Amino acid sequence: MMYRLIADAAMVVHFAFLVYMAVGGFVAWRWRRTLWAHLLVVAWGVLSIVTGIECPLTFVEDWARRKAGQEGLPASGFIDHYIEGVIYPEQYTNLARLGVAVLVLFSYVGYVLRRQ
């Protein structure tokens, strides 16, 4: 039971991380100090896309699911399992990434304009 809770918690934190990646720049409009955390989250997202490095949350969830006797995540990882083909069709992956990038850039432009 404990391993399943760990796996589910890792999944929830992972989804929260992705949501924060998309909209965290807007949070910084209100709480300016969060901009640094958001920059780190975006940097990690870009690094993982460019290099293919596996997120530690994916590792934790997969490990805990296997320990709980469940099927682990597929080799393709968290995004492929929960998002691609579920939230949007797989062929629109680059469009989804572009949408998040535009959202992040828009939030940063808004942040700068609000500071003036």
PDB file of all heavy atoms in Angstrom, residues 42-81:
ATOM      1  N   VAL A  42      11.559  25.603 -16.054  1.00  0.00           N
ATOM      2  CA  VAL A  42      11.604  25.695 -17.517  1.00  0.00           C
ATOM      3  C   VAL A  42      12.943  25.169 -18.034  1.00  0.00           C
ATOM      4  O   VAL A  42      12.983  24.443 -19.034  1.00  0.00           O
ATOM      5  CB  VAL A  42      11.336  27.144 -17.981  1.00  0.00           C
ATOM      6  CG1 VAL A  42      11.646  27.312 -19.457  1.00  0.00           C
ATOM      7  CG2 VAL A  42       9.899  27.530 -17.687  1.00  0.00           C
ATOM      8  N   ALA A  43      14.017  25.503 -17.357  1.00  0.00           N
ATOM      9  CA  ALA A  43      15.340  25.013 -17.774  1.00  0.00           C
ATOM     10  C   ALA A  43      15.378  23.483 -17.732  1.00  0.00           C
ATOM     11  O   ALA A  43      15.910  22.840 -18.650  1.00  0.00           O
ATOM     12  CB  ALA A  43      16.430  25.601 -16.889  1.00  0.00           C
ATOM     13  N   TRP A  44      14.818  22.899 -16.682  1.00  0.00           N
ATOM     14  CA  TRP A  44      14.773  21.437 -16.589  1.00  0.00           C
ATOM     15  C   TRP A  44      13.936  20.864 -17.732  1.00  0.00           C
ATOM     16  O   TRP A  44      14.325  19.862 -18.340  1.00  0.00           O
ATOM     17  CB  TRP A  44      14.207  20.983 -15.248  1.00  0.00           C
ATOM     18  CG  TRP A  44      14.048  19.489 -15.232  1.00  0.00           C
ATOM     19  CD1 TRP A  44      12.900  18.776 -15.417  1.00  0.00           C
ATOM     20  CD2 TRP A  44      15.091  18.529 -15.086  1.00  0.00           C
ATOM     21  NE1 TRP A  44      13.171  17.431 -15.388  1.00  0.00           N
ATOM     22  CE2 TRP A  44      14.507  17.257 -15.185  1.00  0.00           C
ATOM     23  CE3 TRP A  44      16.465  18.626 -14.885  1.00  0.00           C
ATOM     24  CZ2 TRP A  44      15.248  16.084 -15.084  1.00  0.00           C
ATOM     25  CZ3 TRP A  44      17.190  17.451 -14.784  1.00  0.00           C
ATOM     26  CH2 TRP A  44      16.592  16.201 -14.876  1.00  0.00           C
ATOM     27  N   GLY A  45      12.803  21.482 -18.034  1.00  0.00           N
ATOM     28  CA  GLY A  45      11.948  21.010 -19.120  1.00  0.00           C
ATOM     29  C   GLY A  45      12.665  21.041 -20.458  1.00  0.00           C
ATOM     30  O   GLY A  45      12.617  20.076 -21.229  1.00  0.00           O
ATOM     31  N   VAL A  46      13.358  22.130 -20.728  1.00  0.00           N
ATOM     32  CA  VAL A  46      14.104  22.248 -21.985  1.00  0.00           C
ATOM     33  C   VAL A  46      15.230  21.218 -22.023  1.00  0.00           C
ATOM     34  O   VAL A  46      15.428  20.536 -23.036  1.00  0.00           O
ATOM     35  CB  VAL A  46      14.650  23.682 -22.173  1.00  0.00           C
ATOM     36  CG1 VAL A  46      15.624  23.759 -23.336  1.00  0.00           C
ATOM     37  CG2 VAL A  46      13.498  24.664 -22.356  1.00  0.00           C
ATOM     38  N   LEU A  47      15.942  21.075 -20.920  1.00  0.00           N
ATOM     39  CA  LEU A  47      17.030  20.100 -20.843  1.00  0.00           C
ATOM     40  C   LEU A  47      16.519  18.682 -21.093  1.00  0.00           C
ATOM     41  O   LEU A  47      17.135  17.914 -21.830  1.00  0.00           O
ATOM     42  CB  LEU A  47      17.721  20.184 -19.476  1.00  0.00           C
ATOM     43  CG  LEU A  47      18.878  19.226 -19.252  1.00  0.00           C
ATOM     44  CD1 LEU A  47      20.067  19.619 -20.126  1.00  0.00           C
ATOM     45  CD2 LEU A  47      19.275  19.212 -17.785  1.00  0.00           C
ATOM     46  N   SER A  48      15.386  18.348 -20.516  1.00  0.00           N
ATOM     47  CA  SER A  48      14.862  16.988 -20.688  1.00  0.00           C
ATOM     48  C   SER A  48      14.397  16.742 -22.118  1.00  0.00           C
ATOM     49  O   SER A  48      14.533  15.637 -22.639  1.00  0.00           O
ATOM     50  CB  SER A  48      13.733  16.716 -19.695  1.00  0.00           C
ATOM     51  OG  SER A  48      12.601  17.477 -20.000  1.00  0.00           O
ATOM     52  N   ILE A  49      13.868  17.771 -22.781  1.00  0.00           N
ATOM     53  CA  ILE A  49      13.446  17.611 -24.176  1.00  0.00           C
ATOM     54  C   ILE A  49      14.663  17.486 -25.087  1.00  0.00           C
ATOM     55  O   ILE A  49      14.714  16.625 -25.954  1.00  0.00           O
ATOM     56  CB  ILE A  49      12.556  18.790 -24.615  1.00  0.00           C
ATOM     57  CG1 ILE A  49      11.187  18.695 -23.944  1.00  0.00           C
ATOM     58  CG2 ILE A  49      12.396  18.809 -26.133  1.00  0.00           C
ATOM     59  CD1 ILE A  49      10.316  19.919 -24.130  1.00  0.00           C
ATOM     60  N   VAL A  50      15.659  18.332 -24.863  1.00  0.00           N
ATOM     61  CA  VAL A  50      16.839  18.366 -25.742  1.00  0.00           C
ATOM     62  C   VAL A  50      17.716  17.123 -25.559  1.00  0.00           C
ATOM     63  O   VAL A  50      18.189  16.546 -26.534  1.00  0.00           O
ATOM     64  CB  VAL A  50      17.653  19.652 -25.489  1.00  0.00           C
ATOM     65  CG1 VAL A  50      18.989  19.616 -26.206  1.00  0.00           C
ATOM     66  CG2 VAL A  50      16.846  20.867 -25.915  1.00  0.00           C
ATOM     67  N   THR A  51      17.921  16.704 -24.308  1.00  0.00           N
ATOM     68  CA  THR A  51      18.846  15.599 -24.056  1.00  0.00           C
ATOM     69  C   THR A  51      18.154  14.258 -23.871  1.00  0.00           C
ATOM     70  O   THR A  51      18.800  13.220 -23.958  1.00  0.00           O
ATOM     71  CB  THR A  51      19.688  15.869 -22.790  1.00  0.00           C
ATOM     72  OG1 THR A  51      18.829  15.890 -21.651  1.00  0.00           O
ATOM     73  CG2 THR A  51      20.461  17.170 -22.920  1.00  0.00           C
ATOM     74  N   GLY A  52      16.856  14.268 -23.559  1.00  0.00           N
ATOM     75  CA  GLY A  52      16.143  13.019 -23.309  1.00  0.00           C
ATOM     76  C   GLY A  52      16.378  12.463 -21.913  1.00  0.00           C
ATOM     77  O   GLY A  52      16.020  11.320 -21.626  1.00  0.00           O
ATOM     78  N   ILE A  53      16.972  13.276 -21.041  1.00  0.00           N
ATOM     79  CA  ILE A  53      17.234  12.836 -19.671  1.00  0.00           C
ATOM     80  C   ILE A  53      15.908  12.534 -18.969  1.00  0.00           C
ATOM     81  O   ILE A  53      14.923  13.220 -19.156  1.00  0.00           O
ATOM     82  CB  ILE A  53      18.053  13.892 -18.905  1.00  0.00           C
ATOM     83  CG1 ILE A  53      18.549  13.336 -17.590  1.00  0.00           C
ATOM     84  CG2 ILE A  53      17.257  15.157 -18.687  1.00  0.00           C
ATOM     85  CD1 ILE A  53      19.582  14.231 -16.917  1.00  0.00           C
ATOM     86  N   GLU A  54      15.910  11.475 -18.175  1.00  0.00           N
ATOM     87  CA  GLU A  54      14.693  11.063 -17.477  1.00  0.00           C
ATOM     88  C   GLU A  54      14.505  11.877 -16.206  1.00  0.00           C
ATOM     89  O   GLU A  54      15.443  12.105 -15.441  1.00  0.00           O
ATOM     90  CB  GLU A  54      14.770   9.582 -17.117  1.00  0.00           C
ATOM     91  CG  GLU A  54      13.495   9.052 -16.513  1.00  0.00           C
ATOM     92  CD  GLU A  54      13.546   7.559 -16.283  1.00  0.00           C
ATOM     93  OE1 GLU A  54      14.117   6.839 -17.122  1.00  0.00           O
ATOM     94  OE2 GLU A  54      13.019   7.118 -15.247  1.00  0.00           O
ATOM     95  N   CYS A  55      13.278  12.307 -15.986  1.00  0.00           N
ATOM     96  CA  CYS A  55      12.949  13.067 -14.785  1.00  0.00           C
ATOM     97  C   CYS A  55      13.010  12.148 -13.566  1.00  0.00           C
ATOM     98  O   CYS A  55      12.544  11.003 -13.615  1.00  0.00           O
ATOM     99  CB  CYS A  55      11.545  13.662 -14.929  1.00  0.00           C
ATOM    100  SG  CYS A  55      11.011  14.605 -13.501  1.00  0.00           S
ATOM    101  N   PRO A  56      13.550  12.618 -12.466  1.00  0.00           N
ATOM    102  CA  PRO A  56      13.582  11.803 -11.246  1.00  0.00           C
ATOM    103  C   PRO A  56      12.182  11.383 -10.776  1.00  0.00           C
ATOM    104  O   PRO A  56      12.025  10.308 -10.204  1.00  0.00           O
ATOM    105  CB  PRO A  56      14.250  12.721 -10.209  1.00  0.00           C
ATOM    106  CG  PRO A  56      15.010  13.709 -11.005  1.00  0.00           C
ATOM    107  CD  PRO A  56      14.261  13.892 -12.287  1.00  0.00           C
ATOM    108  N   LEU A  57      11.184  12.198 -11.033  1.00  0.00           N
ATOM    109  CA  LEU A  57       9.820  11.829 -10.638  1.00  0.00           C
ATOM    110  C   LEU A  57       9.336  10.614 -11.429  1.00  0.00           C
ATOM    111  O   LEU A  57       8.604   9.771 -10.895  1.00  0.00           O
ATOM    112  CB  LEU A  57       8.866  13.005 -10.835  1.00  0.00           C
ATOM    113  CG  LEU A  57       9.064  14.172  -9.887  1.00  0.00           C
ATOM    114  CD1 LEU A  57       8.263  15.383 -10.344  1.00  0.00           C
ATOM    115  CD2 LEU A  57       8.671  13.778  -8.472  1.00  0.00           C
ATOM    116  N   THR A  58       9.734  10.516 -12.677  1.00  0.00           N
ATOM    117  CA  THR A  58       9.386   9.348 -13.485  1.00  0.00           C
ATOM    118  C   THR A  58      10.030   8.099 -12.885  1.00  0.00           C
ATOM    119  O   THR A  58       9.383   7.055 -12.750  1.00  0.00           O
ATOM    120  CB  THR A  58       9.855   9.526 -14.943  1.00  0.00           C
ATOM    121  OG1 THR A  58       9.231  10.692 -15.478  1.00  0.00           O
ATOM    122  CG2 THR A  58       9.517   8.323 -15.796  1.00  0.00           C
ATOM    123  N   PHE A  59      11.288   8.223 -12.511  1.00  0.00           N
ATOM    124  CA  PHE A  59      11.999   7.104 -11.889  1.00  0.00           C
ATOM    125  C   PHE A  59      11.309   6.665 -10.598  1.00  0.00           C
ATOM    126  O   PHE A  59      11.090   5.478 -10.376  1.00  0.00           O
ATOM    127  CB  PHE A  59      13.462   7.482 -11.619  1.00  0.00           C
ATOM    128  CG  PHE A  59      14.200   6.437 -10.851  1.00  0.00           C
ATOM    129  CD1 PHE A  59      14.684   5.309 -11.490  1.00  0.00           C
ATOM    130  CD2 PHE A  59      14.385   6.567  -9.487  1.00  0.00           C
ATOM    131  CE1 PHE A  59      15.355   4.324 -10.776  1.00  0.00           C
ATOM    132  CE2 PHE A  59      15.045   5.592  -8.757  1.00  0.00           C
ATOM    133  CZ  PHE A  59      15.532   4.464  -9.410  1.00  0.00           C
ATOM    134  N   VAL A  60      10.959   7.630  -9.741  1.00  0.00           N
ATOM    135  CA  VAL A  60      10.329   7.307  -8.464  1.00  0.00           C
ATOM    136  C   VAL A  60       8.984   6.620  -8.679  1.00  0.00           C
ATOM    137  O   VAL A  60       8.678   5.603  -8.030  1.00  0.00           O
ATOM    138  CB  VAL A  60      10.156   8.580  -7.586  1.00  0.00           C
ATOM    139  CG1 VAL A  60       9.258   8.311  -6.389  1.00  0.00           C
ATOM    140  CG2 VAL A  60      11.506   9.095  -7.140  1.00  0.00           C
ATOM    141  N   GLU A  61       8.174   7.169  -9.583  1.00  0.00           N
ATOM    142  CA  GLU A  61       6.871   6.557  -9.828  1.00  0.00           C
ATOM    143  C   GLU A  61       7.022   5.140 -10.371  1.00  0.00           C
ATOM    144  O   GLU A  61       6.340   4.213  -9.913  1.00  0.00           O
ATOM    145  CB  GLU A  61       6.038   7.394 -10.795  1.00  0.00           C
ATOM    146  CG  GLU A  61       4.681   6.760 -11.032  1.00  0.00           C
ATOM    147  CD  GLU A  61       3.835   7.453 -12.063  1.00  0.00           C
ATOM    148  OE1 GLU A  61       4.223   8.531 -12.551  1.00  0.00           O
ATOM    149  OE2 GLU A  61       2.765   6.895 -12.398  1.00  0.00           O
ATOM    150  N   ASP A  62       7.897   4.954 -11.342  1.00  0.00           N
ATOM    151  CA  ASP A  62       8.099   3.630 -11.926  1.00  0.00           C
ATOM    152  C   ASP A  62       8.573   2.643 -10.865  1.00  0.00           C
ATOM    153  O   ASP A  62       8.046   1.532 -10.757  1.00  0.00           O
ATOM    154  CB  ASP A  62       9.105   3.723 -13.072  1.00  0.00           C
ATOM    155  CG  ASP A  62       9.292   2.400 -13.766  1.00  0.00           C
ATOM    156  OD1 ASP A  62       8.289   1.848 -14.272  1.00  0.00           O
ATOM    157  OD2 ASP A  62      10.439   1.905 -13.811  1.00  0.00           O
ATOM    158  N   TRP A  63       9.556   3.043 -10.077  1.00  0.00           N
ATOM    159  CA  TRP A  63      10.091   2.193  -9.008  1.00  0.00           C
ATOM    160  C   TRP A  63       8.992   1.803  -8.025  1.00  0.00           C
ATOM    161  O   TRP A  63       8.854   0.622  -7.669  1.00  0.00           O
ATOM    162  CB  TRP A  63      11.220   2.932  -8.297  1.00  0.00           C
ATOM    163  CG  TRP A  63      11.671   2.280  -7.030  1.00  0.00           C
ATOM    164  CD1 TRP A  63      12.520   1.223  -6.920  1.00  0.00           C
ATOM    165  CD2 TRP A  63      11.267   2.625  -5.706  1.00  0.00           C
ATOM    166  NE1 TRP A  63      12.669   0.893  -5.592  1.00  0.00           N
ATOM    167  CE2 TRP A  63      11.916   1.739  -4.834  1.00  0.00           C
ATOM    168  CE3 TRP A  63      10.422   3.598  -5.181  1.00  0.00           C
ATOM    169  CZ2 TRP A  63      11.749   1.799  -3.457  1.00  0.00           C
ATOM    170  CZ3 TRP A  63      10.250   3.666  -3.817  1.00  0.00           C
ATOM    171  CH2 TRP A  63      10.904   2.778  -2.961  1.00  0.00           C
ATOM    172  N   ALA A  64       8.210   2.778  -7.581  1.00  0.00           N
ATOM    173  CA  ALA A  64       7.171   2.507  -6.584  1.00  0.00           C
ATOM    174  C   ALA A  64       6.061   1.625  -7.159  1.00  0.00           C
ATOM    175  O   ALA A  64       5.545   0.740  -6.469  1.00  0.00           O
ATOM    176  CB  ALA A  64       6.600   3.816  -6.053  1.00  0.00           C
ATOM    177  N   ARG A  65       5.687   1.844  -8.389  1.00  0.00           N
ATOM    178  CA  ARG A  65       4.647   1.003  -9.008  1.00  0.00           C
ATOM    179  C   ARG A  65       5.118  -0.445  -9.093  1.00  0.00           C
ATOM    180  O   ARG A  65       4.369  -1.370  -8.803  1.00  0.00           O
ATOM    181  CB  ARG A  65       4.269   1.530 -10.386  1.00  0.00           C
ATOM    182  CG  ARG A  65       3.568   2.863 -10.326  1.00  0.00           C
ATOM    183  CD  ARG A  65       2.429   2.997 -11.300  1.00  0.00           C
ATOM    184  NE  ARG A  65       1.862   4.331 -11.202  1.00  0.00           N
ATOM    185  CZ  ARG A  65       0.959   4.695 -10.297  1.00  0.00           C
ATOM    186  NH1 ARG A  65       0.516   3.827  -9.424  1.00  0.00           N
ATOM    187  NH2 ARG A  65       0.497   5.935 -10.281  1.00  0.00           N
ATOM    188  N   ARG A  66       6.347  -0.646  -9.477  1.00  0.00           N
ATOM    189  CA  ARG A  66       6.875  -2.019  -9.563  1.00  0.00           C
ATOM    190  C   ARG A  66       6.954  -2.661  -8.180  1.00  0.00           C
ATOM    191  O   ARG A  66       6.628  -3.838  -8.021  1.00  0.00           O
ATOM    192  CB  ARG A  66       8.225  -2.024 -10.259  1.00  0.00           C
ATOM    193  CG  ARG A  66       8.121  -1.657 -11.730  1.00  0.00           C
ATOM    194  CD  ARG A  66       9.489  -1.674 -12.415  1.00  0.00           C
ATOM    195  NE  ARG A  66       9.414  -1.091 -13.737  1.00  0.00           N
ATOM    196  CZ  ARG A  66       8.965  -1.705 -14.819  1.00  0.00           C
ATOM    197  NH1 ARG A  66       8.524  -2.945 -14.720  1.00  0.00           N
ATOM    198  NH2 ARG A  66       8.942  -1.101 -15.985  1.00  0.00           N
ATOM    199  N   LYS A  67       7.378  -1.913  -7.178  1.00  0.00           N
ATOM    200  CA  LYS A  67       7.440  -2.428  -5.805  1.00  0.00           C
ATOM    201  C   LYS A  67       6.048  -2.770  -5.272  1.00  0.00           C
ATOM    202  O   LYS A  67       5.902  -3.666  -4.455  1.00  0.00           O
ATOM    203  CB  LYS A  67       8.099  -1.408  -4.863  1.00  0.00           C
ATOM    204  CG  LYS A  67       9.573  -1.305  -5.015  1.00  0.00           C
ATOM    205  CD  LYS A  67      10.231  -2.527  -4.434  1.00  0.00           C
ATOM    206  CE  LYS A  67      11.667  -2.260  -4.119  1.00  0.00           C
ATOM    207  NZ  LYS A  67      12.299  -3.386  -3.468  1.00  0.00           N
ATOM    208  N   ALA A  68       5.035  -2.043  -5.758  1.00  0.00           N
ATOM    209  CA  ALA A  68       3.655  -2.286  -5.332  1.00  0.00           C
ATOM    210  C   ALA A  68       3.025  -3.451  -6.093  1.00  0.00           C
ATOM    211  O   ALA A  68       1.866  -3.789  -5.870  1.00  0.00           O
ATOM    212  CB  ALA A  68       2.819  -1.023  -5.525  1.00  0.00           C
ATOM    213  N   GLY A  69       3.784  -4.048  -7.010  1.00  0.00           N
ATOM    214  CA  GLY A  69       3.269  -5.169  -7.777  1.00  0.00           C
ATOM    215  C   GLY A  69       2.460  -4.747  -8.992  1.00  0.00           C
ATOM    216  O   GLY A  69       1.792  -5.566  -9.619  1.00  0.00           O
ATOM    217  N   GLN A  70       2.531  -3.486  -9.328  1.00  0.00           N
ATOM    218  CA  GLN A  70       1.821  -2.978 -10.501  1.00  0.00           C
ATOM    219  C   GLN A  70       2.763  -2.944 -11.696  1.00  0.00           C
ATOM    220  O   GLN A  70       3.981  -3.075 -11.559  1.00  0.00           O
ATOM    221  CB  GLN A  70       1.303  -1.555 -10.237  1.00  0.00           C
ATOM    222  CG  GLN A  70       0.302  -1.452  -9.130  1.00  0.00           C
ATOM    223  CD  GLN A  70      -0.114  -0.003  -8.904  1.00  0.00           C
ATOM    224  OE1 GLN A  70       0.673   0.910  -9.062  1.00  0.00           O
ATOM    225  NE2 GLN A  70      -1.369   0.175  -8.515  1.00  0.00           N
ATOM    226  N   GLU A  71       2.164  -2.721 -12.857  1.00  0.00           N
ATOM    227  CA  GLU A  71       2.975  -2.527 -14.052  1.00  0.00           C
ATOM    228  C   GLU A  71       3.632  -1.155 -13.951  1.00  0.00           C
ATOM    229  O   GLU A  71       2.972  -0.164 -13.626  1.00  0.00           O
ATOM    230  CB  GLU A  71       2.082  -2.601 -15.284  1.00  0.00           C
ATOM    231  CG  GLU A  71       2.832  -2.538 -16.582  1.00  0.00           C
ATOM    232  CD  GLU A  71       1.908  -2.703 -17.770  1.00  0.00           C
ATOM    233  OE1 GLU A  71       0.891  -3.395 -17.658  1.00  0.00           O
ATOM    234  OE2 GLU A  71       2.234  -2.104 -18.814  1.00  0.00           O
ATOM    235  N   GLY A  72       4.904  -1.092 -14.214  1.00  0.00           N
ATOM    236  CA  GLY A  72       5.605   0.189 -14.157  1.00  0.00           C
ATOM    237  C   GLY A  72       5.282   1.041 -15.370  1.00  0.00           C
ATOM    238  O   GLY A  72       4.497   0.662 -16.240  1.00  0.00           O
ATOM    239  N   LEU A  73       5.891   2.190 -15.415  1.00  0.00           N
ATOM    240  CA  LEU A  73       5.717   3.064 -16.572  1.00  0.00           C
ATOM    241  C   LEU A  73       6.419   2.444 -17.774  1.00  0.00           C
ATOM    242  O   LEU A  73       7.426   1.752 -17.625  1.00  0.00           O
ATOM    243  CB  LEU A  73       6.313   4.446 -16.285  1.00  0.00           C
ATOM    244  CG  LEU A  73       5.589   5.292 -15.249  1.00  0.00           C
ATOM    245  CD1 LEU A  73       6.368   6.574 -14.985  1.00  0.00           C
ATOM    246  CD2 LEU A  73       4.183   5.611 -15.699  1.00  0.00           C
ATOM    247  N   PRO A  74       5.915   2.714 -18.969  1.00  0.00           N
ATOM    248  CA  PRO A  74       6.613   2.209 -20.150  1.00  0.00           C
ATOM    249  C   PRO A  74       7.970   2.894 -20.300  1.00  0.00           C
ATOM    250  O   PRO A  74       8.212   3.956 -19.717  1.00  0.00           O
ATOM    251  CB  PRO A  74       5.674   2.567 -21.301  1.00  0.00           C
ATOM    252  CG  PRO A  74       4.828   3.680 -20.788  1.00  0.00           C
ATOM    253  CD  PRO A  74       4.724   3.486 -19.315  1.00  0.00           C
ATOM    254  N   ALA A  75       8.823   2.307 -21.105  1.00  0.00           N
ATOM    255  CA  ALA A  75      10.170   2.862 -21.306  1.00  0.00           C
ATOM    256  C   ALA A  75      10.116   4.280 -21.861  1.00  0.00           C
ATOM    257  O   ALA A  75      11.029   5.070 -21.642  1.00  0.00           O
ATOM    258  CB  ALA A  75      10.969   1.961 -22.237  1.00  0.00           C
ATOM    259  N   SER A  76       9.033   4.614 -22.555  1.00  0.00           N
ATOM    260  CA  SER A  76       8.913   5.957 -23.130  1.00  0.00           C
ATOM    261  C   SER A  76       8.655   7.026 -22.073  1.00  0.00           C
ATOM    262  O   SER A  76       8.810   8.211 -22.341  1.00  0.00           O
ATOM    263  CB  SER A  76       7.803   5.976 -24.185  1.00  0.00           C
ATOM    264  OG  SER A  76       6.596   5.503 -23.634  1.00  0.00           O
ATOM    265  N   GLY A  77       8.246   6.638 -20.865  1.00  0.00           N
ATOM    266  CA  GLY A  77       8.157   7.573 -19.751  1.00  0.00           C
ATOM    267  C   GLY A  77       6.791   8.149 -19.432  1.00  0.00           C
ATOM    268  O   GLY A  77       5.770   7.751 -19.988  1.00  0.00           O
ATOM    269  N   PHE A  78       6.806   9.095 -18.528  1.00  0.00           N
ATOM    270  CA  PHE A  78       5.608   9.719 -17.970  1.00  0.00           C
ATOM    271  C   PHE A  78       4.769  10.435 -19.020  1.00  0.00           C
ATOM    272  O   PHE A  78       3.571  10.232 -19.115  1.00  0.00           O
ATOM    273  CB  PHE A  78       6.030  10.712 -16.874  1.00  0.00           C
ATOM    274  CG  PHE A  78       4.886  11.433 -16.220  1.00  0.00           C
ATOM    275  CD1 PHE A  78       4.257  10.891 -15.125  1.00  0.00           C
ATOM    276  CD2 PHE A  78       4.449  12.657 -16.699  1.00  0.00           C
ATOM    277  CE1 PHE A  78       3.207  11.551 -14.517  1.00  0.00           C
ATOM    278  CE2 PHE A  78       3.397  13.329 -16.105  1.00  0.00           C
ATOM    279  CZ  PHE A  78       2.776  12.765 -15.007  1.00  0.00           C
ATOM    280  N   ILE A  79       5.394  11.291 -19.801  1.00  0.00           N
ATOM    281  CA  ILE A  79       4.674  12.099 -20.783  1.00  0.00           C
ATOM    282  C   ILE A  79       3.953  11.199 -21.783  1.00  0.00           C
ATOM    283  O   ILE A  79       2.771  11.385 -22.066  1.00  0.00           O
ATOM    284  CB  ILE A  79       5.631  13.065 -21.521  1.00  0.00           C
ATOM    285  CG1 ILE A  79       6.326  14.011 -20.545  1.00  0.00           C
ATOM    286  CG2 ILE A  79       4.907  13.833 -22.621  1.00  0.00           C
ATOM    287  CD1 ILE A  79       5.458  15.068 -19.941  1.00  0.00           C
ATOM    288  N   ASP A  80       4.672  10.226 -22.312  1.00  0.00           N
ATOM    289  CA  ASP A  80       4.059   9.328 -23.294  1.00  0.00           C
ATOM    290  C   ASP A  80       2.923   8.517 -22.682  1.00  0.00           C
ATOM    291  O   ASP A  80       1.949   8.209 -23.355  1.00  0.00           O
ATOM    292  CB  ASP A  80       5.102   8.371 -23.879  1.00  0.00           C
ATOM    293  CG  ASP A  80       6.049   9.057 -24.840  1.00  0.00           C
ATOM    294  OD1 ASP A  80       5.797  10.219 -25.195  1.00  0.00           O
ATOM    295  OD2 ASP A  80       7.048   8.434 -25.228  1.00  0.00           O
ATOM    296  N   HIS A  81       3.058   8.155 -21.436  1.00  0.00           N
ATOM    297  CA  HIS A  81       2.046   7.313 -20.789  1.00  0.00           C
ATOM    298  C   HIS A  81       0.778   8.081 -20.418  1.00  0.00           C
ATOM    299  O   HIS A  81      -0.327   7.603 -20.633  1.00  0.00           O
ATOM    300  CB  HIS A  81       2.644   6.658 -19.545  1.00  0.00           C
ATOM    301  CG  HIS A  81       1.725   5.709 -18.856  1.00  0.00           C
ATOM    302  ND1 HIS A  81       1.334   4.517 -19.430  1.00  0.00           N
ATOM    303  CD2 HIS A  81       1.107   5.777 -17.653  1.00  0.00           C
ATOM    304  CE1 HIS A  81       0.517   3.886 -18.593  1.00  0.00           C
ATOM    305  NE2 HIS A  81       0.374   4.630 -17.517  1.00  0.00           N
TER     306      HIS A  81
END
